[in-house]
Amino acid sequence: MDMKNEQMNKSVENRRTVRKYADKEVSDELLNSLLRTAARTQTMGNLQLYSVVVTRSKEAKERLAPAHFNQPMVTQAPVVLTVCADFNRTSVWCRNRKAEPGYDNFLSFVNAAIDALLFTQTFCNLAEEEGLGYCFLGTTVYMPKLIIETLELPQLVMPVATITLGWPDEQPPQTDRLPLESFVHAETYHDYLPADIDHYYAYKEGLEENRQFCAINQKETLAQIFTDIRYTKKDNEGMSEGLLEALQMQGFMKK
């Protein structure tokens, strides 16, 4: 393994989610370099089915914050990147080259979303190598219509990932991860027996912070924290409706 690959592996192994940033700008030169290099990642048909909206101004970040439940890092980070699945640019190209595009469908959204997420992860790896910190916001798909309106996204453009980016002003602890054998399946998928679950989740469930979380919320198990508090059936169904409506609004799902 060469030195550069070893450095990247260590960067990934030491990954931390950074939510507090120093009062120091991320230069356009550095940001553009990272975005340009990240564009070398895999892409369907070499079409690069993504666009990135860069938000720097205080006013624009404040308009964007409600879509992310006003999490403080949205306004505090020097840069917010919204990565979008984008079939608009490709469709405009086709129409301007005597070709009729047929990308107003759900499969096209999935293809563009995969492209966008591959780009996002490559960008994150590159940013960490430069010493930058970031936080991936899962809230992007919770209230997409508000993001669409705020960023003035046209049809066939859908937000799928948001990154807050800056120079770290904290060294948070790493979060736990499940063991390799819990998610790698040899040849075919092997479903989980109760004993497997006991083994694979023992470390996570035994962490003092998780045990305290259960006690504070008066829950018997850590799983109940996720089903009853963090990601409830009611919320999931409600936000699923909003996501489907946004996909229709953006032209990815015909009624």
Side-chain angles (χ1 to χ4, degrees), residues 100-163:
E100 185 58 36
Y103 307 122
D104 54 344
N105 47 68
F106 185 64
L107 177 64
S108 296
F109 165 71
V110 171
N111 285 330
I114 291 171
D115 259 23
L117 292 173
L118 285 169
F119 173 89
T120 301
Q121 187 58 69
T122 300
F123 175 87
C124 289
N125 290 342
L126 294 168
E128 281 188 313
E129 285 188 61
E130 294 294 333
L132 289 161
Y134 67 86
C135 180
F136 182 97
L137 303 184
T139 46
T140 307
V141 294
Y142 290 177
M143 292 194 287
K145 286 193 283 188
L146 185 52
I147 298 174
I148 290 165
E149 293 167 3
T150 302
L151 299 181
E152 301 180 9
L153 304 181
Q155 283 208 325
L156 299 186
V157 180
M158 183 77 179
V160 295
T162 302
I163 299 294

Side-chain angles (χ1 to χ4, degrees), residues 3-186:
M3 187 174 296
K4 186 172 183 180
N5 286 336
E6 185 176 356
Q7 181 182 357
M8 177 174 286
N9 284 350
K10 287 182 178 179
S11 177
V12 174
E13 286 177 0
N14 295 321
R15 171 162 294 155
R16 289 168 168 79
T17 295
V18 175
R19 295 179 173 86
K20 295 181 181 179
Y21 305 96
D23 186 17
K24 178 183 176 183
E25 284 299 315
V26 178
S27 71
D28 285 335
E29 181 182 12
L30 174 58
L31 180 59
N32 288 337
S33 175
L34 294 172
L35 293 169
R36 187 179 301 110
T37 305
R40 299 306 308 173
T41 200
Q42 303 93 324
T43 171
M44 194 197 82
N46 198 30
L47 288 172
Q48 295 180 250
L49 302 171
Y50 50 81
S51 284
V52 184
V53 180
V54 180
T55 304
R56 284 187 177 274
S57 75
K58 179 176 180 293
E59 296 75 18
K61 285 185 285 189
E62 287 175 349
R63 289 194 299 270
L64 198 56
H68 297 288
F69 298 97
N70 290 307
Q71 295 177 86
M73 59 272 198
V74 176
T75 52
Q76 199 254 335
V79 182
V80 178
L81 303 176
T82 305
V83 186
C84 303
D86 185 351
F87 245 118
N88 174 61
R89 182 183 62 251
T90 300
S91 296
V92 173
W93 172 60
C94 289
R95 286 192 291 270
N96 279 270
R97 295 296 182 270
K98 301 179 181 179
E100 185 58 36
Y103 307 122
D104 54 344
N105 47 68
F106 185 64
L107 177 64
S108 296
F109 165 71
V110 171
N111 285 330
I114 291 171
D115 259 23
L117 292 173
L118 285 169
F119 173 89
T120 301
Q121 187 58 69
T122 300
F123 175 87
C124 289
N125 290 342
L126 294 168
E128 281 188 313
E129 285 188 61
E130 294 294 333
L132 289 161
Y134 67 86
C135 180
F136 182 97
L137 303 184
T139 46
T140 307
V141 294
Y142 290 177
M143 292 194 287
K145 286 193 283 188
L146 185 52
I147 298 174
I148 290 165
E149 293 167 3
T150 302
L151 299 181
E152 301 180 9
L153 304 181
Q155 283 208 325
L156 299 186
V157 180
M158 183 77 179
V160 295
T162 302
I163 299 294
T164 59
L165 184 73
W167 301 103
D169 195 28
E170 64 172 346
Q171 184 73 1
Q174 280 190 299
T175 53
D176 62 277
R177 290 293 185 267
L178 293 172
L180 182 69
E181 61 269 25
S182 72
F183 58 85
V184 176
H185 301 254

Side-chain angles (χ1 to χ4, degrees), residues 228-243:
D228 300 353
I229 298 175
R230 295 192 65 181
Y231 307 113
T232 68
K233 178 179 175 64
K234 180 181 178 181
D235 287 345
N236 288 336
E237 290 178 346
M239 288 185 287
S240 291
E241 289 182 9
L243 180 59

